[in-house]
């Protein structure tokens, strides 16, 4: 997958721990643990919010995906090839012995498909970029660690509850622009503080 990342202005693995070679859940947990220890050991609290993008693989809008691919500099020939492939994806629904008429799919990528993780990372990069540009959330020695992404889960980290709310607002606005809906039932917020003996 390394060859595809030359088209990104910023590697998605800067904040994405899912769908990345040599990275996984244990790396995301380690980054979260180290961030919490860094802030708490310096006398600061840390506020954390976890967001889950609802059915993002099914909702991924093809037109918006292709625009994002163009915006990050992926060659037009490759985009045209994917447009050709994705414009021909169709489904039939079977119920007992009956089939519906053929339906073209205009949203979604195949779960388990080889290209799907790469396409997903391109699609969601605008949410991460909005957070980085706002420069809200936690930093460690000048490195932004305000959001950690594992596949379609996002953890927001902030030393201020006010900044955390602004980060949640940014996720809502930038997510809405690309048809990502964050599932309110699977969200939680947490305050991490230094334990006093």
């Amino acid at each position: 997958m390394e060859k595809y990342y030359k088209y990104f202005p910023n590697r998605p693995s800067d904040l994405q721990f899912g769908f990345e070679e040599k990275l996984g859940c244990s790396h995301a947990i380690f980054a979260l643990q180290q961030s919490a220890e860094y802030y708490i050991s310096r006398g600061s609290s840390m506020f954390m919010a976890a967001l889950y993008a609802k059915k993002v693989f099914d909702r991924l809008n093809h037109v918006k995906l292709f625009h994002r691919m163009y915006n990050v500099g992926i060659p037009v020939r490759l985009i045209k090839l994917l447009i050709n492939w994705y414009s021909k994806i169709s489904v039939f629904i079977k119920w007992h012995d009956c089939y519906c008429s053929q339906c073209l799919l205009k949203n979604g990528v195949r779960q388990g498909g080889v290209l799907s993780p790469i396409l997903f990372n391109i699609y969601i990069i605008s949410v991460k970029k909005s957070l980085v540009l706002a420069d809200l959330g936690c930093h460690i020695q000048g490195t932004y660690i305000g959001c950690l992404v594992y596949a379609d889960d996002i953890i927001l980290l902030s030393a201020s509850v006010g900044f955390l709310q602004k980060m949640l607002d940014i996720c809502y606005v930038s997510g809405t622009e690309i048809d990502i809906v964050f599932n309110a039932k699977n969200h939680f917020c947490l305050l991490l503080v230094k334990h006093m003996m």
Side-chain angles (χ1 to χ4, degrees), residues 149-167:
V149 182
Y150 186 82
D152 51 3
D153 297 313
I154 299 175
I155 295 179
L156 304 176
L157 305 173
S158 176
S160 155
V161 71
F163 284 167
L164 183 65
Q165 180 58 58
K166 289 179 181 178
M167 293 169 75

Side-chain angles (χ1 to χ4, degrees), residues 176-194:
T176 301
E177 290 172 359
I178 57 172
D179 302 329
I180 291 179
V181 175
F182 293 106
N183 189 345
K185 291 181 181 178
N186 291 351
H187 295 175
F188 71 87
C189 291
L190 191 64
L191 168 62
L192 305 173
V193 293
K194 187 172 186 176

Side-chain angles (χ1 to χ4, degrees), residues 130-137 139 144 163 170:
S130 297
L131 289 166
V132 172
L133 289 174
D135 204 29
L136 302 171
H139 295 75
Y144 182 77
F163 284 167
I170 289 168

Side-chain angles (χ1 to χ4, degrees), residues 6-182:
K6 66 183 178 184
Y7 301 118
F8 287 93
N10 299 311
R11 281 186 49 117
S13 59
D14 292 342
L15 301 168
Q16 172 68 271
F17 292 88
F19 309 134
E20 290 291 321
E21 244 178 282
K22 300 180 183 176
L23 289 177
C25 188
S26 60
H27 297 94
I29 292 169
F30 179 76
L32 176 60
Q33 179 185 16
Q34 291 301 305
S35 302
E37 286 179 10
Y38 180 85
Y39 273 79
I40 291 170
S41 69
R42 285 159 175 75
S44 176
S45 299
M46 177 184 267
F47 296 89
M48 181 173 80
L51 305 174
Y52 169 70
K54 185 178 180 181
K55 295 188 180 283
V56 72
F57 275 87
D58 297 332
R59 298 178 60 90
L60 193 145
N61 182 301
H62 294 165
V63 173
K64 292 179 181 181
L65 168 65
F66 300 136
H67 282 169
R68 268 153 184 69
M69 292 175 75
Y70 180 78
N71 290 340
V72 298
I74 291 178
V76 174
R77 278 190 253 171
L78 179 58
I79 297 170
K80 286 182 178 180
L81 175 67
L82 290 172
I83 289 171
N84 187 8
W85 284 352
Y86 275 88
S87 66
K88 295 175 181 173
I89 296 176
S90 61
V91 295
F92 294 93
I93 298 172
K94 179 184 177 188
W95 188 65
H96 294 292
D97 292 329
C98 299
Y99 291 89
C100 76
S101 57
Q102 182 178 0
C103 302
L104 288 174
L105 292 182
K106 297 179 182 175
N107 291 335
V109 291
R110 294 180 179 178
Q111 292 194 27
V114 175
L115 280 179
S116 297
I118 296 168
L119 298 177
F120 173 78
N121 280 344
I122 293 169
Y123 197 69
I124 201 166
I125 203 168
S126 61
V127 176
K128 295 182 287 184
K129 194 171 184 180
S130 297
L131 289 166
V132 172
L133 289 174
D135 204 29
L136 302 171
C138 293
H139 295 75
I140 294 180
Q141 297 181 356
T143 301
Y144 182 77
I145 48 111
C147 73
L148 304 175
V149 182
Y150 186 82
D152 51 3
D153 297 313
I154 299 175
I155 295 179
L156 304 176
L157 305 173
S158 176
S160 155
V161 71
F163 284 167
L164 183 65
Q165 180 58 58
K166 289 179 181 178
M167 293 169 75
L168 288 166
D169 294 340
I170 289 168
C171 286
Y172 173 77
V173 170
S174 58
T176 301
E177 290 172 359
I178 57 172
D179 302 329
I180 291 179
V181 175
F182 293 106

